[in-house]
Amino acid sequence: MQDNDDALIDLLKLHDISPTSQRLEIARILLARPQHLSADQVLASVNASLPVVSKATVYNTLGLFAKKGLVREVIVDPSKVFYDSNVEPHFHFYNSDSGELTDIPNDSITLSQIPELPQGCSLDSVDVIVRIRED
Amino acid sequence: MQDNDDALIDLLKLHDISPTSQRLEIARILLARPQHLSADQVLASVNASLPVVSKATVYNTLGLFAKKGLVREVIVDPSKVFYDSNVEPHFHFYNSDSGELTDIPNDSITLSQIPELPQGCSLDSVDVIVRIRED
DNA sequence: TTGGGTGCAAACTATTTGCATTCGA
DNA sequence: TCGAATGCAAATAGTTTGCACCCAA
């Protein structure tokens, strides 16, 4: 576990984030594996056994992680933001019935010909969301 | 103007929406031309000269229009939903600095190879959002 | 008349913010 | 010690909801 924490601490530092214990807790949950969690879910997971991080800190920390490029915000539902621990370029399925967000295999979709951007603008990111629903 | 109203009324009926005066007002604003408006903006436009539609009715009506396929919801910003009067398939630029949502010319971007959907699911829509920011 | 549509205000919920306290280098 | 980080609660804002009223078929 200590090894894992050391790796996480290095990762945070690498992203210019000072590794406090709350941030480590959140990173431990969210970065454990590729996944999509809402702030609510992170809050619940982190405090599952005993309360260690407040709601405000979860929101602030997730916002910080996103700004620093450690995670990626995925906006598919007006009612909540998802945080994706996979920052590699990839696209998503969103099942609006179940609220489930899943990755689209990278080789099964292709976006070609990124269009010319409007004057005075630079590219931030390209989001592709394939919305699906239960039959 | 009457001609235009008649056309709008027919359009509403065609979408299985009973054409009340408030719905007509909202349709007149939103469907005037291809555009992207938030509920707030619609509310402000509709009541620009004198108050004719309540906030709740604007939200309910936009939701109804979207459900009936008369307009399309565009979810790009966690803080508000945009309603697009153009329901033809097309993609968007979103300038997160200015909050401006614009169309991507249809011929300047290509999405190929729609991926296989998960079991028991059907396609709803494909959203492509190219996020940009001011230099 | 009668049920859908509307208006109003209150409720709701995700998120943000102000500020006092606490922690760690 | 001293500034950064945190916690708490209140504030915010978009959206939804409950309910009484009203209108058109």
Side-chain angles (χ1 to χ4, degrees):
Chain A
M1 205 38 136
Q2 190 54 50
D3 286 353
N4 193 23
D5 273 9
D6 285 349
L8 273 183
I9 289 172
D10 286 345
L11 188 60
L12 291 182
K13 286 181 178 171
L14 203 65
H15 286 266
D16 199 29
I17 297 167
S18 55
T20 66
S21 71
Q22 287 86 346
R23 289 172 179 175
L24 256 177
E25 284 297 330
I26 293 171
R28 197 142 42 207
I29 295 293
L30 184 55
L31 304 181
R33 54 198 171 79
Q35 61 185 330
H36 315 92
L37 297 178
S38 65
D40 252 15
Q41 293 174 312
V42 172
L43 180 63
S45 292
V46 166
N47 293 334
S49 42
L50 76 167
V52 285
V53 189
S54 75
K55 179 185 280 200
T57 297
V58 168
Y59 277 98
N60 290 338
T61 299
L62 290 174
L64 179 69
F65 281 8
K67 193 174 67 171
K68 297 295 190 179
L70 188 58
V71 301
R72 184 181 177 195
E73 287 185 339
V74 183
I75 298 163
V76 289
D77 187 317
S79 75
K80 60 174 169 289
V81 175
F82 283 96
Y83 291 88
D84 190 342
S85 58
N86 179 7
V87 293
E88 297 303 308
H90 67 285
F91 304 140
H92 294 107
F93 286 120
Y94 183 62
N95 184 326
S96 45
D97 288 331
S98 69
E100 204 184 0
L101 187 66
T102 52
D103 286 353
I104 295 181
N106 235 319
D107 57 2
S108 75
I109 193 168
T110 308
L111 187 68
S112 48
Q113 225 184 334
I114 299 296
E116 198 174 326
L117 306 186
Q119 275 295 322
C121 288
S122 56
L123 183 65
D124 187 350
S125 67
V126 178
D127 293 0
V128 175
I129 297 141
V130 178
R131 294 177 185 276
I132 59 181
R133 58 187 156 202
E134 248 109 87
D135 283 325
Chain B
M1 205 38 135
Q2 189 54 47
D3 287 352
N4 193 22
D5 273 9
D6 286 348
L8 273 183
I9 290 171
D10 286 345
L11 187 60
L12 291 182
K13 286 181 179 170
L14 204 65
H15 285 266
D16 199 27
I17 298 168
S18 55
T20 66
S21 70
Q22 286 86 347
R23 290 171 178 175
L24 257 177
E25 284 298 329
I26 293 170
R28 198 142 42 208
I29 295 292
L30 184 55
L31 305 181
R33 54 197 171 78
Q35 61 184 330
H36 314 92
L37 297 178
S38 64
D40 253 14
Q41 293 174 313
V42 171
L43 180 63
S45 292
V46 166
N47 294 333
S49 43
L50 75 169
V52 285
V53 189
S54 74
K55 179 184 279 200
T57 298
V58 168
Y59 278 97
N60 291 337
T61 299
L62 290 175
L64 179 69
F65 282 7
K67 192 174 67 172
K68 296 296 189 179
L70 188 58
V71 301
R72 183 180 177 196
E73 286 185 337
V74 184
I75 298 163
V76 289
D77 187 315
S79 76
K80 59 174 168 291
V81 175
F82 283 96
Y83 291 89
D84 190 343
S85 58
N86 178 6
V87 293
E88 296 304 307
H90 67 284
F91 304 140
H92 294 106
F93 286 120
Y94 184 61
N95 184 327
S96 45
D97 287 331
S98 69
E100 202 183 1
L101 186 66
T102 52
D103 286 353
I104 296 181
N106 235 319
D107 58 1
S108 74
I109 192 167
T110 307
L111 187 68
S112 47
Q113 225 186 332
I114 300 295
E116 198 175 327
L117 305 186
Q119 275 294 323
C121 288
S122 56
L123 182 65
D124 187 349
S125 67
V126 178
D127 292 2
V128 175
I129 297 141
V130 178
R131 293 177 185 277
I132 59 181
R133 60 189 156 202
E134 248 108 86
D135 283 325

Short mmCIF file of all heavy atoms in Angstrom, two decimals, chain A residues 55-90:
data_model
loop_
_atom_site.label_atom_id
_atom_site.label_comp_id
_atom_site.label_asym_id
_atom_site.label_seq_id
_atom_site.Cartn_x
_atom_site.Cartn_y
_atom_site.Cartn_z
N LYS A 55 -17.79 17.45 1.70
CA LYS A 55 -18.36 17.61 0.36
C LYS A 55 -17.65 18.72 -0.41
O LYS A 55 -17.25 18.53 -1.56
CB LYS A 55 -19.85 17.92 0.49
CG LYS A 55 -20.53 18.12 -0.83
CD LYS A 55 -21.98 18.54 -0.67
CE LYS A 55 -22.86 17.36 -0.37
NZ LYS A 55 -24.29 17.67 -0.67
N ALA A 56 -17.46 19.86 0.23
CA ALA A 56 -16.82 20.98 -0.45
C ALA A 56 -15.42 20.61 -0.94
O ALA A 56 -15.04 20.95 -2.06
CB ALA A 56 -16.74 22.19 0.48
N THR A 57 -14.70 19.88 -0.12
CA THR A 57 -13.35 19.50 -0.50
C THR A 57 -13.36 18.53 -1.67
O THR A 57 -12.50 18.59 -2.56
CB THR A 57 -12.60 18.90 0.70
OG1 THR A 57 -12.49 19.90 1.70
CG2 THR A 57 -11.21 18.42 0.31
N VAL A 58 -14.35 17.63 -1.71
CA VAL A 58 -14.45 16.72 -2.84
C VAL A 58 -14.66 17.54 -4.12
O VAL A 58 -13.96 17.33 -5.12
CB VAL A 58 -15.60 15.71 -2.67
CG1 VAL A 58 -15.89 14.99 -3.97
CG2 VAL A 58 -15.24 14.71 -1.58
N TYR A 59 -15.58 18.46 -4.10
CA TYR A 59 -15.83 19.28 -5.29
C TYR A 59 -14.60 20.09 -5.66
O TYR A 59 -14.20 20.14 -6.83
CB TYR A 59 -17.03 20.21 -5.05
CG TYR A 59 -18.35 19.51 -5.29
CD1 TYR A 59 -19.08 18.99 -4.24
CD2 TYR A 59 -18.85 19.36 -6.59
CE1 TYR A 59 -20.30 18.35 -4.46
CE2 TYR A 59 -20.06 18.73 -6.82
CZ TYR A 59 -20.78 18.21 -5.75
OH TYR A 59 -21.96 17.58 -5.98
N ASN A 60 -14.01 20.72 -4.68
CA ASN A 60 -12.83 21.53 -4.97
C ASN A 60 -11.69 20.68 -5.52
O ASN A 60 -11.01 21.08 -6.47
CB ASN A 60 -12.37 22.25 -3.70
CG ASN A 60 -13.34 23.34 -3.28
OD1 ASN A 60 -14.11 23.85 -4.10
ND2 ASN A 60 -13.33 23.69 -2.01
N THR A 61 -11.52 19.53 -4.93
CA THR A 61 -10.42 18.67 -5.35
C THR A 61 -10.64 18.13 -6.76
O THR A 61 -9.72 18.12 -7.59
CB THR A 61 -10.26 17.50 -4.36
OG1 THR A 61 -9.96 18.03 -3.07
CG2 THR A 61 -9.15 16.55 -4.80
N LEU A 62 -11.85 17.71 -7.05
CA LEU A 62 -12.12 17.20 -8.40
C LEU A 62 -11.93 18.30 -9.43
O LEU A 62 -11.36 18.07 -10.50
CB LEU A 62 -13.54 16.63 -8.47
CG LEU A 62 -13.75 15.33 -7.68
CD1 LEU A 62 -15.22 14.92 -7.70
CD2 LEU A 62 -12.88 14.22 -8.24
N GLY A 63 -12.37 19.49 -9.08
CA GLY A 63 -12.17 20.63 -9.98
C GLY A 63 -10.69 20.88 -10.20
O GLY A 63 -10.25 21.13 -11.33
N LEU A 64 -9.92 20.80 -9.12
CA LEU A 64 -8.47 21.00 -9.21
C LEU A 64 -7.82 19.92 -10.07
O LEU A 64 -7.02 20.21 -10.97
CB LEU A 64 -7.87 20.99 -7.81
CG LEU A 64 -6.35 21.15 -7.72
CD1 LEU A 64 -5.95 22.56 -8.14
CD2 LEU A 64 -5.84 20.84 -6.32
N PHE A 65 -8.19 18.67 -9.82
CA PHE A 65 -7.65 17.55 -10.60
C PHE A 65 -7.93 17.77 -12.09
O PHE A 65 -7.06 17.55 -12.93
CB PHE A 65 -8.28 16.23 -10.15
CG PHE A 65 -7.72 15.66 -8.88
CD1 PHE A 65 -6.82 16.39 -8.11
CD2 PHE A 65 -8.09 14.39 -8.45
CE1 PHE A 65 -6.31 15.86 -6.93
CE2 PHE A 65 -7.57 13.85 -7.27
CZ PHE A 65 -6.68 14.59 -6.51
N ALA A 66 -9.13 18.19 -12.40
CA ALA A 66 -9.51 18.40 -13.80
C ALA A 66 -8.68 19.52 -14.40
O ALA A 66 -8.17 19.41 -15.52
CB ALA A 66 -11.00 18.70 -13.91
N LYS A 67 -8.54 20.60 -13.65
CA LYS A 67 -7.79 21.75 -14.17
C LYS A 67 -6.33 21.39 -14.42
O LYS A 67 -5.71 21.86 -15.38
CB LYS A 67 -7.88 22.93 -13.18
CG LYS A 67 -7.39 24.24 -13.76
CD LYS A 67 -7.63 25.41 -12.82
CE LYS A 67 -6.79 25.30 -11.58
NZ LYS A 67 -6.83 26.51 -10.73
N LYS A 68 -5.80 20.52 -13.58
CA LYS A 68 -4.41 20.13 -13.69
C LYS A 68 -4.19 18.98 -14.68
O LYS A 68 -3.06 18.54 -14.87
CB LYS A 68 -3.86 19.72 -12.32
CG LYS A 68 -3.86 20.85 -11.30
CD LYS A 68 -2.91 21.97 -11.68
CE LYS A 68 -2.73 22.95 -10.53
NZ LYS A 68 -1.80 24.05 -10.86
N GLY A 69 -5.27 18.49 -15.24
CA GLY A 69 -5.13 17.45 -16.26
C GLY A 69 -4.95 16.04 -15.72
O GLY A 69 -4.55 15.13 -16.44
N LEU A 70 -5.27 15.87 -14.45
CA LEU A 70 -5.12 14.54 -13.85
C LEU A 70 -6.32 13.67 -14.15
O LEU A 70 -6.22 12.44 -14.26
CB LEU A 70 -4.94 14.70 -12.34
CG LEU A 70 -4.59 13.47 -11.52
CD1 LEU A 70 -3.30 12.85 -12.01
CD2 LEU A 70 -4.46 13.85 -10.05
N VAL A 71 -7.47 14.29 -14.28
CA VAL A 71 -8.69 13.60 -14.69
C VAL A 71 -9.39 14.47 -15.73
O VAL A 71 -8.99 15.61 -15.97
CB VAL A 71 -9.65 13.34 -13.51
CG1 VAL A 71 -8.99 12.52 -12.43
CG2 VAL A 71 -10.19 14.64 -12.95
N ARG A 72 -10.45 13.93 -16.28
CA ARG A 72 -11.16 14.66 -17.32
C ARG A 72 -12.62 14.77 -16.97
O ARG A 72 -13.25 13.80 -16.56
CB ARG A 72 -11.01 13.89 -18.63
CG ARG A 72 -11.61 14.56 -19.82
CD ARG A 72 -11.39 13.66 -21.02
NE ARG A 72 -11.99 14.18 -22.22
CZ ARG A 72 -12.19 13.46 -23.31
NH1 ARG A 72 -11.84 12.19 -23.33
NH2 ARG A 72 -12.74 13.99 -24.37
N GLU A 73 -13.16 15.97 -17.11
CA GLU A 73 -14.59 16.15 -16.88
C GLU A 73 -15.35 15.68 -18.10
O GLU A 73 -14.99 16.00 -19.23
CB GLU A 73 -14.91 17.63 -16.65
CG GLU A 73 -14.47 18.15 -15.30
CD GLU A 73 -14.90 19.59 -15.07
OE1 GLU A 73 -15.18 20.29 -16.06
OE2 GLU A 73 -14.95 20.00 -13.89
N VAL A 74 -16.40 14.94 -17.87
CA VAL A 74 -17.25 14.50 -18.97
C VAL A 74 -18.65 15.03 -18.72
O VAL A 74 -19.28 14.74 -17.70
CB VAL A 74 -17.29 12.97 -19.08
CG1 VAL A 74 -18.12 12.55 -20.28
CG2 VAL A 74 -15.88 12.41 -19.18
N ILE A 75 -19.12 15.84 -19.65
CA ILE A 75 -20.41 16.50 -19.49
C ILE A 75 -21.42 15.88 -20.43
O ILE A 75 -21.38 16.10 -21.64
CB ILE A 75 -20.27 18.01 -19.76
CG1 ILE A 75 -19.31 18.60 -18.73
CG2 ILE A 75 -21.63 18.69 -19.68
CD1 ILE A 75 -18.76 19.93 -19.10
N VAL A 76 -22.27 15.04 -19.88
CA VAL A 76 -23.26 14.35 -20.69
C VAL A 76 -24.65 14.48 -20.13
O VAL A 76 -25.63 14.23 -20.82
CB VAL A 76 -22.95 12.84 -20.80
CG1 VAL A 76 -21.73 12.61 -21.68
CG2 VAL A 76 -22.75 12.22 -19.43
N ASP A 77 -24.74 14.87 -18.90
CA ASP A 77 -26.01 14.93 -18.20
C ASP A 77 -26.10 16.28 -17.52
O ASP A 77 -25.20 16.65 -16.78
CB ASP A 77 -26.04 13.79 -17.17
CG ASP A 77 -27.40 13.66 -16.51
OD1 ASP A 77 -27.99 14.69 -16.16
OD2 ASP A 77 -27.87 12.53 -16.36
N PRO A 78 -27.16 17.02 -17.79
CA PRO A 78 -27.23 18.35 -17.20
C PRO A 78 -27.26 18.33 -15.68
O PRO A 78 -26.98 19.33 -15.06
CB PRO A 78 -28.54 18.93 -17.76
CG PRO A 78 -29.27 17.81 -18.40
CD PRO A 78 -28.32 16.69 -18.64
N SER A 79 -27.56 17.18 -15.11
CA SER A 79 -27.73 17.17 -13.66
C SER A 79 -26.45 16.84 -12.90
O SER A 79 -26.41 16.99 -11.69
CB SER A 79 -28.84 16.18 -13.27
OG SER A 79 -28.37 14.86 -13.40
N LYS A 80 -25.44 16.35 -13.60
CA LYS A 80 -24.19 16.11 -12.87
C LYS A 80 -23.00 15.90 -13.81
O LYS A 80 -23.17 15.48 -14.95
CB LYS A 80 -24.32 14.91 -11.94
CG LYS A 80 -24.65 13.62 -12.63
CD LYS A 80 -24.60 12.48 -11.62
CE LYS A 80 -25.19 11.21 -12.20
NZ LYS A 80 -26.64 11.29 -12.35
N VAL A 81 -21.83 16.20 -13.29
CA VAL A 81 -20.59 16.06 -14.06
C VAL A 81 -19.94 14.73 -13.70
O VAL A 81 -19.94 14.33 -12.54
CB VAL A 81 -19.63 17.22 -13.72
CG1 VAL A 81 -18.30 17.03 -14.42
CG2 VAL A 81 -20.25 18.55 -14.09
N PHE A 82 -19.39 14.05 -14.69
CA PHE A 82 -18.63 12.85 -14.42
C PHE A 82 -17.15 13.16 -14.50
O PHE A 82 -16.72 14.02 -15.29
CB PHE A 82 -18.96 11.76 -15.46
CG PHE A 82 -20.28 11.07 -15.21
CD1 PHE A 82 -21.41 11.48 -15.87
CD2 PHE A 82 -20.36 10.02 -14.31
CE1 PHE A 82 -22.64 10.85 -15.64
CE2 PHE A 82 -21.57 9.39 -14.08
CZ PHE A 82 -22.71 9.80 -14.74
N TYR A 83 -16.37 12.44 -13.70
CA TYR A 83 -14.93 12.57 -13.75
C TYR A 83 -14.34 11.25 -14.23
O TYR A 83 -14.61 10.20 -13.66
CB TYR A 83 -14.38 12.97 -12.37
CG TYR A 83 -14.77 14.38 -12.03
CD1 TYR A 83 -15.97 14.65 -11.39
CD2 TYR A 83 -13.98 15.45 -12.41
CE1 TYR A 83 -16.36 15.97 -11.11
CE2 TYR A 83 -14.35 16.76 -12.14
CZ TYR A 83 -15.54 17.01 -11.49
OH TYR A 83 -15.92 18.29 -11.23
N ASP A 84 -13.57 11.35 -15.28
CA ASP A 84 -13.03 10.18 -15.96
C ASP A 84 -11.55 10.06 -15.60
O ASP A 84 -10.78 10.98 -15.83
CB ASP A 84 -13.21 10.38 -17.47
CG ASP A 84 -12.89 9.11 -18.24
OD1 ASP A 84 -12.21 8.23 -17.69
OD2 ASP A 84 -13.31 9.03 -19.41
N SER A 85 -11.19 8.93 -15.03
CA SER A 85 -9.79 8.75 -14.62
C SER A 85 -8.89 8.44 -15.82
O SER A 85 -7.67 8.43 -15.69
CB SER A 85 -9.67 7.62 -13.59
OG SER A 85 -10.19 6.42 -14.12
N ASN A 86 -9.49 8.21 -16.95
CA ASN A 86 -8.71 7.97 -18.17
C ASN A 86 -8.63 9.27 -18.98
O ASN A 86 -9.63 9.72 -19.54
CB ASN A 86 -9.39 6.87 -18.99
CG ASN A 86 -8.65 6.59 -20.30
OD1 ASN A 86 -7.57 7.14 -20.54
ND2 ASN A 86 -9.24 5.75 -21.12
N VAL A 87 -7.43 9.84 -19.03
CA VAL A 87 -7.29 11.12 -19.73
C VAL A 87 -6.80 10.94 -21.16
O VAL A 87 -6.65 11.92 -21.90
CB VAL A 87 -6.33 12.08 -18.98
CG1 VAL A 87 -6.96 12.51 -17.67
CG2 VAL A 87 -4.97 11.45 -18.78
N GLU A 88 -6.57 9.71 -21.56
CA GLU A 88 -6.23 9.47 -22.96
C GLU A 88 -7.44 9.81 -23.83
O GLU A 88 -8.57 9.66 -23.39
CB GLU A 88 -5.86 7.99 -23.17
CG GLU A 88 -4.63 7.55 -22.40
CD GLU A 88 -3.43 8.41 -22.76
OE1 GLU A 88 -3.12 8.55 -23.96
OE2 GLU A 88 -2.78 8.96 -21.83
N PRO A 89 -7.18 10.26 -25.06
CA PRO A 89 -8.32 10.59 -25.94
C PRO A 89 -9.16 9.34 -26.19
O PRO A 89 -8.63 8.31 -26.60
CB PRO A 89 -7.64 11.05 -27.24
CG PRO A 89 -6.23 11.35 -26.87
CD PRO A 89 -5.90 10.49 -25.70
N HIS A 90 -10.43 9.45 -25.92
CA HIS A 90 -11.35 8.35 -26.20
C HIS A 90 -12.77 8.89 -26.10
O HIS A 90 -13.00 9.96 -25.55
CB HIS A 90 -11.14 7.21 -25.21
CG HIS A 90 -11.51 7.56 -23.80
ND1 HIS A 90 -10.74 8.36 -23.01
CD2 HIS A 90 -12.59 7.23 -23.06
CE1 HIS A 90 -11.32 8.52 -21.83
NE2 HIS A 90 -12.46 7.84 -21.84
#
